[in-house]
């Protein structure tokens, strides 16, 4: 469920910074020189993070969780660069001039991917137009995160350029590690941001689903509602509606329950779906879709359920002390006693008279 490329980025970059940091804890000069050279050579494998950043942005923009094998082609250059460094070091072919050439090519490659990332983000996440308030809010958070990450990797690329230029001017071997503390500090900020923002790893779909599950459990009639469709959508109009209101489903359900348990609207015997839609200021098509795909009972059955809840509340508040069951049935929205009696038994499992007796027995006990 996590974005694979972000996981790889965390593992590779953190491992590289850890290896470089370990050199400061080695006291023996000969050992540190050997370890430092070993770290320099093999840490160049971290070059694969450059296309990883691009692929992370691409998958985030397209909300694509499926792995595409063609994306492996992005790693040909960084792996080739890594092998070149290892071979040159193995056969002692490394010279200052060769290092300048290799790192200039590498910097140009890094700069090229920075431009690719910028163009991708600008054409997708940074300029995406969204109508849904929930999705719009989520996209704003993703926009801020990607902007933060892009600026950070741009600064890290600039740090590499400064390192190459300084070593070239001083005619020293280029290892790309000058001012490494700057990159380490920037990466630390990225890790902190990831820790406090779980949507970065898991994505908003999964995070929103978990939030919805929690919200759904707080509903009074949670056994009737479902955050995901109960059955397969059977026409193009419903598919279009799903795309439009999917992120608002739980909000709609909460609004319906809130107004339902105020009872007043449902006490009207002639109450229709249109009345509920108008009261909530939600399009009728949205409410109709909700009861068709996200409620386990029809709107007609839902009305009966709410009215029986209303009746039970009246009974528990001693309404029948001075009134009849027939009066109660009309009070909660039924046209007569017979449908009230049938509905009461369906919803509560007992008849109104039996329910009254049970209440009386509980009070006496």
């Amino acid at each position: 469920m996590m974005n694979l490329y972000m996981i790889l980025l965390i593992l590779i970059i953190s491992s590289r910074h850890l290896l470089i940091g370990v050199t400061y804890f080695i006291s023996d000069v000969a050992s540190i020189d050997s370890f430092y050279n070993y770290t320099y050579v093999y840490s160049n494998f971290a070059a694969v993070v450059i296309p990883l950043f691009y692929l992370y942005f691409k998958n985030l923009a397209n909300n694509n969780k499926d792995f595409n094998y063609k994306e492996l082609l992005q790693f040909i250059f960084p792996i080739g660069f890594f092998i070149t460094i290892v071979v040159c070091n193995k056969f002692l072919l490394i010279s200052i001039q060769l290092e300048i050439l290799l790192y200039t090519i590498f910097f140009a490659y890094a700069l090229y991917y920075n431009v690719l990332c910028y163009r991708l983000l600008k054409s997708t996440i940074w300029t995406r137009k969204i109508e849904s308030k929930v999705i719009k809010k989520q996209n704003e958070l993703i926009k801020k995160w990607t902007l933060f990450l892009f600026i950070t990797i741009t600064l890290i690329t600039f740090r590499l350029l400064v390192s190459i230029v300084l070593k070239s001017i001083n005619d020293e071997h280029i290892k790309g590690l000058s001012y490494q503390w700057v990159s380490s500090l920037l990466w630390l900020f990225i890790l902190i941001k990831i820790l406090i923002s779980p949507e970065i790893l898991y994505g908003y779909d999964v995070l929103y689903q978990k939030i919805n599950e929690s919200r759904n459990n707080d509903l009074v009639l949670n056994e009737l509602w479902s955050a995901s469709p109960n059955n397969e959508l059977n026409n193009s109009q419903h598919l279009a509606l799903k795309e439009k209101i999917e992120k608002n489903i739980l909000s709609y359900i909460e609004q319906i329950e809130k107004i339902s348990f105020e009872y007043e609207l449902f006490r009207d015997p002639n109450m229709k779906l249109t009345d509920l839609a108008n009261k909530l200021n939600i399009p009728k098509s949205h409410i109709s879709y909700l009861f068709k795909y996200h409620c386990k009972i029809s709107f007609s059955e839902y009305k009966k359920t709410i009215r029986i809840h209303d009746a039970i509340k009246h009974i528990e508040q001693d309404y029948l002390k001075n009134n009849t069951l027939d009066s109660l049935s009309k009070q909660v929205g039924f046209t007569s006693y017979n449908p009230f009696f049938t509905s009461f038994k369906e919803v509560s499992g007992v008849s109104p008279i039996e329910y009254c007796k049970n209440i009386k027995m509980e009070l006496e006990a």
Side-chain angles (χ1 to χ4, degrees), residues 260-302:
S260 296
F261 288 102
E262 290 172 359
Y263 300 119
E264 185 177 349
L265 184 65
F266 287 80
R267 288 172 184 165
D268 180 359
N270 299 315
M271 185 235 180
K272 297 177 182 176
L273 190 70
T274 306
D275 300 317
L276 179 61
N278 291 339
K279 188 71 175 179
L280 295 174
N281 198 26
I282 295 173
K284 180 184 174 183
S285 59
H286 292 198
I287 302 293
S288 179
Y289 172 90
L290 190 71
F291 277 98
K292 184 175 179 63
Y293 293 106
H294 293 271
C295 189
K296 297 176 183 177
I297 58 177
S298 67
F299 177 66
S300 177
E301 292 171 321
Y302 181 79

Side-chain angles (χ1 to χ4, degrees), residues 37-101:
N37 186 62
Y38 177 86
T39 302
Y40 152 68
V41 173
Y42 288 96
S43 68
N44 281 286
F45 179 75
V48 298
V49 302
I50 294 174
L52 278 176
F53 274 112
Y54 172 73
L55 292 173
Y56 169 69
F57 288 139
K58 184 179 178 182
N59 278 256
L60 194 64
N62 299 329
N63 197 26
N64 182 17
K65 302 293 189 298
D66 297 326
F67 179 75
N68 185 352
Y69 287 97
K70 290 183 179 179
E71 293 176 347
L72 294 174
L73 297 174
Q74 305 279 351
F75 301 101
I76 292 175
F77 177 85
I79 292 175
F81 178 82
F82 167 67
I83 293 172
T84 301
I85 295 291
V86 171
V87 170
C88 289
N89 188 76
K90 179 77 172 177
F91 296 100
L92 303 176
L93 300 175
I94 290 292
S95 64
I96 294 176
Q97 291 74 21
L98 181 60
E99 284 181 345
I100 292 174
L101 175 62

Side-chain angles (χ1 to χ4, degrees), residues 309-327:
H309 274 267
D310 191 8
I312 289 172
K313 184 177 179 181
H314 274 77
I315 292 171
E316 291 176 348
Q317 292 177 345
D318 282 341
Y319 178 86
L320 295 177
K321 187 175 182 180
N322 300 311
N323 299 278
T324 65
L325 283 170
D326 184 62
S327 171

Side-chain angles (χ1 to χ4, degrees), residues 146-208:
T146 52
L147 183 62
F148 168 78
L149 187 58
F150 176 76
I151 291 173
T152 303
I153 61 176
T154 301
L155 291 173
I156 291 173
T157 304
F158 180 73
R159 195 274 322 163
L160 177 63
L161 174 62
V162 171
S163 176
I164 294 171
V165 170
L166 288 177
K167 292 296 182 181
S168 300
I169 292 173
N170 297 325
D171 203 28
E172 297 177 15
H173 282 288
I174 300 171
K175 297 187 183 296
L177 299 176
S178 300
Y179 300 105
Q180 184 65 32
W181 64 269
V182 175
S183 295
S184 298
L185 192 60
L186 291 170
W187 183 240
L188 181 62
F189 288 147
I190 291 174
L191 289 178
I192 292 171
K193 177 67 175 174
I194 290 171
L195 286 172
I196 62 176
S197 307
E199 65 274 9
I200 293 169
L201 283 182
Y202 292 99
Y204 281 101
D205 287 345
V206 174
L207 187 64
Y208 191 78

Side-chain angles (χ1 to χ4, degrees), residues 195-253:
L195 286 172
I196 62 176
S197 307
E199 65 274 9
I200 293 169
L201 283 182
Y202 292 99
Y204 281 101
D205 287 345
V206 174
L207 187 64
Y208 191 78
Q209 183 181 353
K210 290 183 180 298
I211 292 171
N212 280 351
E213 287 173 358
S214 175
R215 288 171 66 186
N216 201 67
N217 289 334
D218 292 334
L219 297 171
V220 177
L221 302 174
N222 66 312
E223 73 279 357
L224 298 183
W225 301 108
S226 173
S228 55
N230 294 323
N231 43 57
E232 188 176 348
L233 277 68
N234 51 26
N235 63 51
S236 57
Q237 186 180 1
H238 290 166
L239 287 169
L241 268 175
K242 178 181 183 294
E243 189 73 23
K244 190 173 183 180
I245 69 173
E246 188 174 17
K247 298 296 183 182
N248 294 326
I249 292 298
L250 262 294
S251 175
Y252 284 170
I253 293 173

